[in-house]
Structures are given as C-alpha cells and as structure tokens.
Amino acid sequence: YLDDQNQCTAVGRGAGENLNASKCIAIGFEALRGVNTSNLVTGTSNIAIGVKAGDALKTGSQNVLIGENAGGAMVGGHWNILIGKDCATAADLNGSVIIGIDAGTSGTGDNNVVIGKAAADVGSWSGDNCIIIGHDADPSGSSVDNEITLGNASITKLRVPGLNSFEINDSGQFSGVSSTASGTAGVR
C-alpha cells in the first residue's frame, strides 16, 4: 500500500500493518509490522527491507534495517544502520552500525560499530562507543565501553603495512620499530 498523507510505502503481506508514522518504507513479509493495533509503530523515517525486518519496532526513528529479522526485537532504537540476517535481533540501541549475519544480537549499548559474521553476539552486551570488527569478534566484557576489538582469538598478528611493516606478533613482540634512548620500543 501507499500512504500519501504520511509518505509511507509498504510492500509485502503484513508489511507496515500497524504503522502509524510518517516517511517509512517497509518491504517484505511483516517488515515494520508493529506488534498489534495496541502497539503501533510510531517512529518516523524508518526503512525496513526483509522478512520481519524491524517487525517489533514501536517508537524507534530514523533506522535502516536490511535483512531477514534485522532489528527483529528492537522497540525504541534510533539512528541505527543494521544490515544482515538476524543482526541485532534482540537489541535496542542508538546510533550504531551493525553489519553481518548474527552480529550484535543482544546489544543495548549506543554508538557502536560492529562488523562481521557473529561479531558481538554475546548475551546482553551493553557497551558504548566500541568498535568490533571480524568474524566472531567479541568485546572483552558484557558492559565494556570505549574499546576496539579487531578479530577473534584466532588472530595472532596485527599488521599495518603502511607503517614500515609495523607488526605485533602473538607473543607481543614488535617488528618495524626501533628502540628509544630509554630502552622502550617506539615506532619508526
């Protein structure tokens, strides 16, 4: 259906069924459906593409949800980009970018970047301002803030080719560095 008054478009059985918002796009079976007529979707400017993408959203606004069940249980999250099947399925977060199948499944933290299959898929993760990149990469704790995680436990070397082949190996040894006068390692 097309709602000219509220500038909404819905395509697919049950898509936007309980929608009472403006500037929304729902494409796919029960995308942006809302729970029922007593729990309408009132958040504006949402885009949900995929089977049951954003189907429980209620008050959340300005979200982009792409993939089957992306943001599936999110009720009030705002300003998110969620891409991938079952990503952020039990999450309710704000200002985050989550990309990957099963990524960020239970996050409630804000302003996070999560990229990779099953990245940050720990239960009840509430960290803020984290960057988590890689397959099965997870934060160091369920409520850690301001952390960067690159890869999972299988990653044994960090390499930055543009910095004179700067590397840190699995035993913590640096290469591509020189010693300073005090005897500590410094990047060339």
Side-chain angles (χ1 to χ4, degrees):
Y1 76 87
L2 177 63
D3 180 348
D4 288 332
Q5 182 179 358
N6 291 323
Q7 301 170 333
C8 291
T9 301
V11 177
R13 194 180 116 221
E17 185 176 325
N18 299 304
L19 186 61
N20 186 24
S22 62
K23 301 175 185 159
C24 291
I25 298 171
I27 300 174
F29 177 78
E30 294 186 0
L32 211 57
R33 178 177 182 251
V35 178
N36 55 44
T37 55
S38 298
N39 289 295
L40 300 172
V41 177
T42 59
T44 63
S45 301
N46 289 299
I47 298 171
I49 301 172
V51 173
K52 296 191 175 194
D55 64 333
L57 196 63
K58 185 175 178 183
T59 58
S61 295
Q62 299 175 358
N63 295 292
V64 176
L65 315 167
I66 300 174
E68 181 181 340
N69 204 32
M74 187 168 70
V75 176
H78 303 278
W79 319 294
N80 298 296
I81 297 173
L82 310 176
I83 301 173
K85 182 184 182 303
D86 295 326
C87 80
T89 53
D92 219 349
L93 31 89
N94 297 298
S96 294
V97 175
I98 299 179
I99 300 172
I101 295 171
D102 296 323
T105 53
S106 299
T108 58
D110 298 333
N111 307 308
N112 294 300
V113 175
V114 176
I115 301 172
K117 182 183 183 303
D121 65 344
V122 295
S124 301
W125 176 55
S126 63
D128 293 330
N129 197 38
C130 293
I131 299 170
I132 301 169
I133 300 173
H135 174 259
D136 283 331
D138 290 320
S140 63
S142 62
S143 61
V144 67
D145 296 329
N146 306 310
E147 179 179 84
I148 297 174
T149 300
L150 298 176
N152 59 34
S154 298
I155 304 298
T156 59
K157 180 170 53 172
L158 173 65
R159 179 175 167 265
V160 184
L163 296 177
N164 295 322
S165 298
F166 173 79
E167 293 181 6
I168 303 173
N169 66 20
D170 58 347
S171 60
Q173 299 298 311
F174 291 89
S175 64
V177 296
S178 61
S179 296
T180 62
S182 64
T184 59
V187 177
R188 281 188 254 170

